[in-house]
Amino acid sequence: MLSQVYRSGFQPFSQRLLPWVQSTTLSRSHRVQPSAIRHVRAWSNIPFITVPLSRTHGKSFAHRSELKHAKRIVVKLGSAVVTRGDECGLALGRLASIVEQVSVLQNQGREMMLVTSGAVAFGKQRLRHEILLSQSVRQALHSGQNQLKEMAIPVLEARACAAAGQSGLMALYEAMFTQYSICAAQILVTNLDFHDEQKRRNLNGTLHELLRMNIVPIVNTNDAVVPPAEPNSDLQGVISVKDNDSLAARLAVEMKTDLLIVLSDVEGLFDSPPGSDDAKLIDIFYPGDQQSVTFGTKSRVGMGGMEAKVKAALWALQGGTSVVIANGTHPKVSGHVITDIVEGKKVGTFFSEVKPAGPTVEQQGEMARAGGRMLATLEPEQRAEIIYQLADLLTDQRDEILLANKKDLEEAEGRLPAPLLKRLSLSTSKLNSLAIGLRQIAVSSQDSVGRVLRRTRIAKNLELEQVTVPIGVLLVIFESRPDCLPQVAALAIATGNGLLLKGGKEASQSNRILHLLTQEALSIHGVKEAVQLVNTREEVEDLCRLDKMIDLIIPRGSSQLVRNIQKAAKGIPVMGHSEGICHMYVDSEASVDKVTRLVRDSKCEYPAACNALETLLIHRDLLRTPLFDQIIDMLRVEQVKIHAGPKFASYLTFSPSEVKSLRTEYGDLELCIEVVDSVQEAIEHIHKYGSSHTDVIVTENEKTAEFFLQHVDSACVFWNASTRFSDGYRFGLGAEVGISTSRIHARGPVGLEGLLTTKWLLRGQDHVVSDFSEHGSLKYLHENLPVPQRTTN
């Protein structure tokens, strides 16, 4: 029976809760013996936490990423979280989701405690029901009629509501926790229980014993007997228990907990009342920052407000407990808010005693925005001058750059696979190529921002222009590619965009020196802050949520990185491709002299690149011909591992290993070979298994080639050319921020044009729309005007 309960416990609980509650007497106690719980956990398939949970208490966690090590956790549920919007009754679905998250963490081996409100609301619901029932009976007896008059509900005293609601609230919690084979126990406390030494020791001992037996203590103030809160009654160094915020803080410190999670009806702590125009959510709050915060009114229900929560949080922090204040009511996040916090995700406001040495990522975003706007106002020649200066620094400071890169390579040796080590490596030739590419960008940049694309005369003295402008703030996330930093920085400078860069830790030394050189170049025109390198412990997923600061995300790295970013991005467009499954089709009329050169270059020149060949399609007529033998011999010499497609394998008596999937990006000296009967079949194969990146035909038949070029729906389609030409530098763009396979805005290698958008400028003289109505005095002309041409130096 227990096994059935336990295995079903992690299904969506809200689907099972209502019928269970309706068929259960809420005052009844449902307990599972601790020994039974331990027995169940011994064989359960619940994924246990893989990080060590033991830690010495005494100092709070310095960073969010450390919260996953929290062993003992207090979760405080505010009245607004537990109660319905009408403040009469409980929000059952929300409560069920919270219990499910607490159960997951408890079953990971953590020690969970709840401080909960809700007794008053639950009691109010029960008492109102009893009063209505009583009044209806009396009216029916008095009038002798079934029609009841409108009944007034008297004001219910809070203590009476608490007394009536405590048992039902606890029975509900027990019913919920039982679904996960977890036992819960209720503890009611008052301020005296903490101030009286003997009672405090008794309380402490009881809680420790419950935790030892894997029972979740549910703690609440005894609102049935507690006196009204007294303002300013805190003792020296001790917080008085006036509400559940102070109770949670006192309990957290008393029990030496690692983490206190305070759930409310707001996202966290704001620098001004939430809802006001300039209110900003504070990601990390430090002791002493209270003067920078303007507190609003208290919550719609409950005794405390945000000021009380901050006071309690700072007191707990001082006692060695980390604190996070977050929203427990939002339907999109409440189902995973607690587990997200424990995983270290950027949720709510994190209280920390350790201030970072540099600016926060939010501050860096603001600096990039301001710097980008200053960049956009510079003359084109000034932006070009910055890029020329950066190109010179790459060669002048070559020794420093290569020394930093050597340190990264030594650290990565043995930890990274060979393809990633190759990407991480810098050389003199790479730096020289970078400098050449940057100088190309500098030339192109003089005709980028502010270029007039279209001019229209709407009416007399009313002229419209469409001009190019920067996108805003770009977030470029790259891994194992330090040469990406100056390329992307130059493109951002050329287009007047602010830039946030997040590189992989494996290239930290290289990225640091390259960023310093970039800022040195920017300084010649006072826009040093336009390009920011994110060095904080921000997770990529958290960066992708900064939709108010970032206008476009550009991932540069593995297909897995790109997919993760596309999944994590909330409201921010992502430019890029998740896979580079590039095809080459060798037609029956292909040149023997060209094929082996093209295949070798496409596959072997740099197999880790996203534009490297992954699938070779061969026309059936070429099998068992000298051309086919030459291809196979060349691949064998280059030590390329061959995977046979299903049709190719069927033609061979002894074939290479059959491919596991025709949709594979190997990123190494491996290649899939498949057979097709025609160019049409090759195109169909590419559309079915390709990634719309780069696809090639090798043929001497121009008609067949044009058919392929026109019908293959990919970002880059070539005829008798290597897939490796799919590159911004080789296209003459100077450099690229990446290759996009999307169909909106930019496609293929993305250079300057892909980092620009447009705005419309309308210049008039007291023009109003009513003048162009049926009886108005003006008529639309809509005349196309010549576009002025810029001269570049």
Side-chain angles (χ1 to χ4, degrees):
M1 180 62 186
L2 272 175
S3 63
Q4 293 172 352
V5 171
Y6 200 86
R7 279 195 288 265
S8 67
F10 286 85
Q11 298 169 0
F13 182 52
S14 56
Q15 297 175 9
R16 307 190 311 274
L17 173 65
L18 209 52
W20 195 95
V21 171
Q22 288 171 346
S23 63
T24 304
T25 305
L26 288 180
S27 60
R28 184 183 171 190
S29 176
H30 299 270
R31 295 186 181 275
V32 177
Q33 293 302 316
S35 59
I37 297 172
R38 286 194 291 271
H39 174 71
V40 171
R41 286 186 182 148
W43 54 258
S44 78
N45 58 1
I46 299 302
F48 277 74
I49 199 75
T50 56
V51 296
L53 293 178
S54 59
R55 65 183 289 261
T56 303
H57 186 82
K59 196 171 184 181
S60 60
F61 294 118
H63 306 283
R64 284 184 186 269
S65 58
E66 298 172 349
L67 295 180
K68 61 179 175 287
H69 298 289
K71 165 73 172 176
R72 185 171 291 173
I73 302 171
V74 171
V75 179
K76 184 265 176 178
L77 308 179
S79 300
V81 176
V82 176
T83 60
R84 297 197 312 239
D86 61 3
E87 302 174 23
C88 186
L90 303 179
L92 291 178
R94 193 185 303 147
L95 208 55
S97 131
I98 290 169
V99 167
E100 186 165 18
Q101 294 173 76
V102 171
S103 300
V104 168
L105 295 174
Q106 179 81 3
N107 283 314
Q108 287 176 347
R110 304 180 196 267
E111 297 175 345
M112 305 298 297
M113 290 181 279
L114 279 183
V115 174
T116 180
S117 302
V120 173
F122 197 65
K124 185 185 293 186
Q125 183 186 34
R126 293 182 66 182
L127 292 180
R128 287 184 64 176
H129 177 75
E130 292 296 329
I131 291 171
L132 285 171
L133 183 62
S134 175
Q135 288 183 351
S136 63
V137 170
R138 284 199 303 270
Q139 282 196 17
L141 292 173
H142 180 73
S143 63
Q145 300 174 357
N146 291 328
Q147 295 181 353
L148 304 179
K149 299 177 182 177
E150 186 177 339
M151 294 175 289
I153 303 296
V155 176
L156 299 173
E157 206 272 330
R159 290 192 189 89
C161 292
Q166 283 289 359
S167 61
L169 178 65
M170 188 57 201
L172 184 60
Y173 271 120
E174 289 225 13
M176 291 178 174
F177 276 114
T178 299
Q179 301 301 300
Y180 304 99
S181 297
I182 290 175
C183 184
Q186 183 183 36
I187 297 180
L188 297 176
V189 297
T190 65
N191 211 17
L192 294 175
D193 295 314
F194 288 98
H195 289 308
D196 184 283
E197 184 63 24
Q198 184 59 48
K199 289 183 178 181
R200 191 171 64 84
R201 281 201 299 267
N202 293 342
L203 174 62
N204 191 293
T206 300
L207 288 168
H208 275 94
E209 182 64 13
L210 291 173
L211 293 176
R212 187 186 68 79
M213 293 190 295
N214 292 321
I215 295 173
V216 175
I218 299 177
V219 187
N220 195 1
T221 52
N222 193 351
D223 294 328
V225 299
V226 72
E230 298 177 19
N232 304 319
S233 61
D234 289 356
L235 303 176
Q236 185 70 26
V238 178
I239 188 169
S240 296
V241 177
K242 296 190 283 289
D243 50 44
N244 276 341
D245 294 318
S246 54
L247 169 60
R250 186 68 190 266
L251 180 68
V253 174
E254 186 76 25
M255 293 298 294
K256 296 182 171 58
T257 58
D258 303 314
L259 175 62
L260 167 61
I261 299 174
V262 180
L263 297 184
S264 182
D265 57 352
V266 291
E267 279 70 21
L269 178 60
F270 288 78
D271 57 1
S272 56
S276 57
D277 291 339
D278 299 324
K280 291 181 181 178
L281 179 65
I282 299 173
D283 174 41
I284 305 177
F285 188 82
Y286 306 99
D289 286 356
Q290 294 94 314
Q291 283 70 27
S292 63
V293 177
T294 303
F295 293 103
T297 58
K298 75 178 189 73
S299 171
R300 63 176 174 84
V301 289
M303 297 175 63
M306 187 53 72
E307 190 169 7
K309 289 174 176 56
V310 171
K311 183 177 180 180
L314 290 174
W315 191 87
L317 188 68
Q318 186 181 10
T321 296
S322 297
V323 184
V324 175
I325 297 178
N327 192 333
T329 63
H330 197 290
K332 290 186 177 180
V333 299
S334 60
H336 47 80
V337 60
I338 299 173
T339 50
D340 280 355
I341 290 171
V342 175
E343 288 172 8
K345 294 181 181 179
K346 204 166 189 176
V347 179
T349 300
F350 173 61
F351 286 71
S352 174
E353 293 182 297
V354 181
K355 280 201 172 186
T360 65
V361 68
E362 288 82 5
Q363 292 169 332
Q364 286 185 297
E366 291 173 357
M367 289 189 286
R369 175 82 66 187
R373 285 172 176 163
M374 291 178 65
L375 260 178
T377 62
L378 295 178
E379 293 297 322
E381 294 78 11
Q382 292 175 305
R383 288 192 293 272
E385 188 179 351
I386 293 172
I387 301 170
Y388 280 126
Q389 177 68 12
L390 179 55
D392 292 340
L393 287 170
L394 289 179
T395 53
D396 294 345
Q397 304 296 323
R398 177 179 61 246
D399 293 341
E400 286 187 49
I401 297 170
L402 294 179
L403 179 62
N405 185 245
K406 183 182 177 183
K407 293 178 181 177
D408 286 331
L409 288 170
E410 289 172 351
E411 289 262 339
E413 192 70 42
R415 295 192 299 110
L416 291 181
L420 289 183
L421 279 174
K422 189 173 181 180
R423 289 187 179 189
L424 177 60
S425 175
L426 293 176
S427 63
T428 299
S429 61
K430 265 191 179 181
L431 292 176
N432 289 337
S433 297
L434 274 173
I436 293 171
L438 263 58
R439 293 187 179 100
Q440 289 181 346
I441 295 173
V443 173
S444 304
S445 70
Q446 300 189 41
D447 189 31
S448 56
V449 181
R451 176 163 49 94
V452 179
L453 301 178
R454 182 185 305 175
R455 292 181 65 221
T456 305
R457 180 177 287 119
I458 304 297
K460 184 179 180 181
N461 295 324
L462 184 63
E463 293 188 3
L464 178 69
E465 284 184 349
Q466 184 184 20
V467 300
T468 57
V469 294
I471 288 176
V473 175
L474 314 176
L475 169 63
V476 178
I477 302 168
F478 56 101
E479 54 185 9
S480 305
R481 287 284 299 272
D483 55 328
C484 175
L485 194 152
Q487 286 181 342
V488 173
L491 289 168
I493 293 165
T495 52
N497 284 292
L499 180 62
L500 285 175
L501 293 158
K502 175 67 172 176
K505 60 183 179 182
E506 67 278 354
S508 58
Q509 299 288 338
S510 306
N511 290 338
R512 185 186 63 81
I513 183 67
L514 290 170
H515 178 248
L516 287 174
L517 295 177
T518 302
Q519 290 202 316
E520 183 179 335
L522 287 162
S523 297
I524 65 175
H525 287 298
V527 286
K528 176 182 175 182
E529 308 299 342
V531 177
Q532 297 286 324
L533 181 64
V534 178
N535 283 318
T536 61
R537 298 192 181 199
E538 301 293 329
E539 297 292 336
V540 168
E541 187 174 342
D542 293 328
L543 290 172
C544 293
R545 294 174 178 172
L546 301 177
D547 57 317
K548 294 182 180 178
M549 296 183 178
I550 297 167
D551 299 296
L552 178 67
I553 301 174
I554 305 172
R556 296 287 303 270
S558 66
S559 58
Q560 187 60 50
L561 171 74
V562 178
R563 281 194 294 269
N564 290 342
I565 290 171
Q566 289 172 334
K567 183 179 179 181
K570 306 295 182 185
I572 310 175
V574 178
M575 178 186 291
H577 64 280
S578 59
E579 293 175 307
I581 305 174
C582 302
H583 291 74
M584 180 178 287
Y585 165 58
V586 182
D587 185 53
S588 59
E589 299 179 66
S591 165
V592 175
D593 298 330
K594 294 176 182 176
V595 171
T596 52
R597 277 173 47 82
L598 291 173
V599 174
R600 179 189 289 109
D601 189 77
S602 296
K603 179 71 257 185
C604 307
E605 197 266 342
Y606 189 7
C610 66
N611 56 12
L613 177 64
E614 303 294 4
T615 299
L616 182 65
L617 301 176
I618 297 179
H619 194 285
R620 178 169 51 86
D621 293 347
L622 295 178
L623 292 178
R624 300 184 180 90
T625 65
L627 172 58
F628 178 76
D629 293 339
Q630 285 184 26
I631 295 173
I632 298 300
D633 289 342
M634 181 274 296
L635 293 173
R636 186 179 295 114
V637 170
E638 296 291 342
Q639 297 183 331
V640 176
K641 181 179 180 180
I642 296 174
H643 301 276
K647 289 185 67 175
F648 180 45
S650 68
Y651 284 99
L652 304 175
T653 306
F654 300 100
S655 69
S657 61
E658 189 167 339
V659 68
K660 293 180 180 179
S661 170
L662 290 169
R663 193 180 285 111
T664 302
E665 181 180 13
Y666 297 103
D668 206 345
L669 287 173
E670 299 183 53
L671 180 69
C672 171
I673 297 180
E674 181 59 309
V675 174
V676 293
D677 292 337
S678 65
V679 64
Q680 182 63 49
E681 188 178 337
I683 293 170
E684 291 171 359
H685 180 103
I686 290 168
H687 288 166
K688 185 173 183 179
Y689 299 109
S691 60
S692 302
H693 191 294
T694 301
D695 299 293
V696 176
I697 183 172
V698 183
T699 185
E700 295 304 301
N701 187 314
E702 183 177 354
K703 184 178 179 181
T704 302
E706 287 300 325
F707 183 85
F708 185 90
L709 294 175
Q710 298 303 319
H711 286 80
V712 171
D713 187 14
S714 296
C716 300
V717 189
F718 302 159
W719 172 24
N720 288 348
S722 168
T723 60
R724 298 279 289 119
F725 278 104
S726 181
D727 176 83
Y729 172 72
R730 298 181 180 108
F731 276 15
L733 306 179
E736 65 184 30
V737 292
I739 295 178
S740 173
T741 55
S742 67
R743 302 173 189 279
I744 299 175
H745 184 66
R747 201 174 185 206
V750 180
L752 295 178
E753 296 293 328
L755 299 183
L756 294 169
T757 184
T758 64
K759 71 177 179 181
W760 297 91
L761 306 177
L762 184 64
R763 297 178 175 91
Q765 293 181 2
D766 193 31
H767 287 83
V768 293
V769 171
S770 59
D771 288 342
F772 295 86
S773 63
E774 185 178 352
H775 303 291
S777 57
L778 295 177
K779 300 294 182 184
Y780 289 112
L781 300 176
H782 293 150
E783 296 176 359
N784 291 327
L785 298 175
V787 175
Q789 299 297 317
R790 278 187 177 178
T791 57
T792 58
N793 297 328

PDB file of all heavy atoms in Angstrom, residues 162 281 391 477 500 622 636 659 732 763 770:
ATOM      1  N   ALA A 162      -9.070  31.872  14.517  1.00  0.00           N
ATOM      2  CA  ALA A 162      -7.856  31.052  14.624  1.00  0.00           C
ATOM      3  C   ALA A 162      -8.149  29.755  15.378  1.00  0.00           C
ATOM      4  O   ALA A 162      -7.701  28.673  14.974  1.00  0.00           O
ATOM      5  CB  ALA A 162      -6.751  31.840  15.320  1.00  0.00           C
ATOM      6  N   LEU A 281      13.057  45.617  -9.072  1.00  0.00           N
ATOM      7  CA  LEU A 281      13.280  44.483  -8.188  1.00  0.00           C
ATOM      8  C   LEU A 281      14.751  44.429  -7.806  1.00  0.00           C
ATOM      9  O   LEU A 281      15.631  44.514  -8.659  1.00  0.00           O
ATOM     10  CB  LEU A 281      12.866  43.184  -8.876  1.00  0.00           C
ATOM     11  CG  LEU A 281      13.068  41.889  -8.088  1.00  0.00           C
ATOM     12  CD1 LEU A 281      12.169  41.858  -6.862  1.00  0.00           C
ATOM     13  CD2 LEU A 281      12.811  40.677  -8.966  1.00  0.00           C
ATOM     14  N   ALA A 391      42.134  46.662 -33.370  1.00  0.00           N
ATOM     15  CA  ALA A 391      42.908  45.787 -34.263  1.00  0.00           C
ATOM     16  C   ALA A 391      44.405  45.937 -34.010  1.00  0.00           C
ATOM     17  O   ALA A 391      45.148  44.948 -33.976  1.00  0.00           O
ATOM     18  CB  ALA A 391      42.575  46.115 -35.718  1.00  0.00           C
ATOM     19  N   ILE A 477      26.664  34.984 -25.625  1.00  0.00           N
ATOM     20  CA  ILE A 477      27.137  33.918 -24.739  1.00  0.00           C
ATOM     21  C   ILE A 477      27.974  32.965 -25.584  1.00  0.00           C
ATOM     22  O   ILE A 477      27.488  32.411 -26.569  1.00  0.00           O
ATOM     23  CB  ILE A 477      25.958  33.177 -24.085  1.00  0.00           C
ATOM     24  CG1 ILE A 477      25.082  34.167 -23.301  1.00  0.00           C
ATOM     25  CG2 ILE A 477      26.444  32.065 -23.182  1.00  0.00           C
ATOM     26  CD1 ILE A 477      23.750  33.607 -22.859  1.00  0.00           C
ATOM     27  N   LEU A 500      26.815  42.919 -23.734  1.00  0.00           N
ATOM     28  CA  LEU A 500      27.147  42.105 -22.569  1.00  0.00           C
ATOM     29  C   LEU A 500      27.746  40.798 -23.075  1.00  0.00           C
ATOM     30  O   LEU A 500      27.152  40.129 -23.923  1.00  0.00           O
ATOM     31  CB  LEU A 500      25.898  41.785 -21.737  1.00  0.00           C
ATOM     32  CG  LEU A 500      25.305  42.898 -20.877  1.00  0.00           C
ATOM     33  CD1 LEU A 500      24.019  42.414 -20.225  1.00  0.00           C
ATOM     34  CD2 LEU A 500      26.274  43.348 -19.807  1.00  0.00           C
ATOM     35  N   LEU A 622      27.186   6.526 -58.857  1.00  0.00           N
ATOM     36  CA  LEU A 622      28.617   6.673 -58.586  1.00  0.00           C
ATOM     37  C   LEU A 622      29.178   5.537 -57.741  1.00  0.00           C
ATOM     38  O   LEU A 622      30.402   5.449 -57.550  1.00  0.00           O
ATOM     39  CB  LEU A 622      28.881   8.011 -57.881  1.00  0.00           C
ATOM     40  CG  LEU A 622      28.574   9.280 -58.680  1.00  0.00           C
ATOM     41  CD1 LEU A 622      28.843  10.519 -57.832  1.00  0.00           C
ATOM     42  CD2 LEU A 622      29.419   9.323 -59.951  1.00  0.00           C
ATOM     43  N   ARG A 636      39.832   7.667 -45.591  1.00  0.00           N
ATOM     44  CA  ARG A 636      40.620   6.729 -44.794  1.00  0.00           C
ATOM     45  C   ARG A 636      41.968   7.341 -44.439  1.00  0.00           C
ATOM     46  O   ARG A 636      42.437   7.227 -43.304  1.00  0.00           O
ATOM     47  CB  ARG A 636      40.794   5.425 -45.558  1.00  0.00           C
ATOM     48  CG  ARG A 636      41.484   4.329 -44.745  1.00  0.00           C
ATOM     49  CD  ARG A 636      41.611   3.034 -45.528  1.00  0.00           C
ATOM     50  NE  ARG A 636      40.306   2.449 -45.830  1.00  0.00           N
ATOM     51  CZ  ARG A 636      39.794   2.324 -47.060  1.00  0.00           C
ATOM     52  NH1 ARG A 636      40.481   2.765 -48.098  1.00  0.00           N
ATOM     53  NH2 ARG A 636      38.625   1.771 -47.244  1.00  0.00           N
ATOM     54  N   VAL A 659      24.630   4.218 -39.234  1.00  0.00           N
ATOM     55  CA  VAL A 659      24.409   5.453 -38.492  1.00  0.00           C
ATOM     56  C   VAL A 659      23.240   5.288 -37.518  1.00  0.00           C
ATOM     57  O   VAL A 659      22.239   4.633 -37.833  1.00  0.00           O
ATOM     58  CB  VAL A 659      24.144   6.611 -39.475  1.00  0.00           C
ATOM     59  CG1 VAL A 659      22.818   6.419 -40.192  1.00  0.00           C
ATOM     60  CG2 VAL A 659      24.172   7.949 -38.762  1.00  0.00           C
ATOM     61  N   GLY A 732      33.218  38.444 -46.577  1.00  0.00           N
ATOM     62  CA  GLY A 732      33.588  39.846 -46.681  1.00  0.00           C
ATOM     63  C   GLY A 732      32.858  40.733 -45.693  1.00  0.00           C
ATOM     64  O   GLY A 732      32.852  41.963 -45.825  1.00  0.00           O
ATOM     65  N   ARG A 763       9.146  64.434 -40.715  1.00  0.00           N
ATOM     66  CA  ARG A 763       9.357  65.871 -40.526  1.00  0.00           C
ATOM     67  C   ARG A 763       8.221  66.631 -41.206  1.00  0.00           C
ATOM     68  O   ARG A 763       8.017  66.501 -42.413  1.00  0.00           O
ATOM     69  CB  ARG A 763      10.706  66.299 -41.116  1.00  0.00           C
ATOM     70  CG  ARG A 763      11.906  65.635 -40.427  1.00  0.00           C
ATOM     71  CD  ARG A 763      13.226  66.058 -41.073  1.00  0.00           C
ATOM     72  NE  ARG A 763      14.361  65.515 -40.352  1.00  0.00           N
ATOM     73  CZ  ARG A 763      14.938  64.356 -40.633  1.00  0.00           C
ATOM     74  NH1 ARG A 763      14.458  63.604 -41.617  1.00  0.00           N
ATOM     75  NH2 ARG A 763      15.974  63.932 -39.943  1.00  0.00           N
ATOM     76  N   SER A 770      -6.555  65.123 -39.809  1.00  0.00           N
ATOM     77  CA  SER A 770      -7.873  65.598 -40.261  1.00  0.00           C
ATOM     78  C   SER A 770      -7.783  66.408 -41.548  1.00  0.00           C
ATOM     79  O   SER A 770      -8.760  66.505 -42.292  1.00  0.00           O
ATOM     80  CB  SER A 770      -8.529  66.429 -39.149  1.00  0.00           C
ATOM     81  OG  SER A 770      -7.715  67.538 -38.794  1.00  0.00           O
TER      82      SER A 770
END
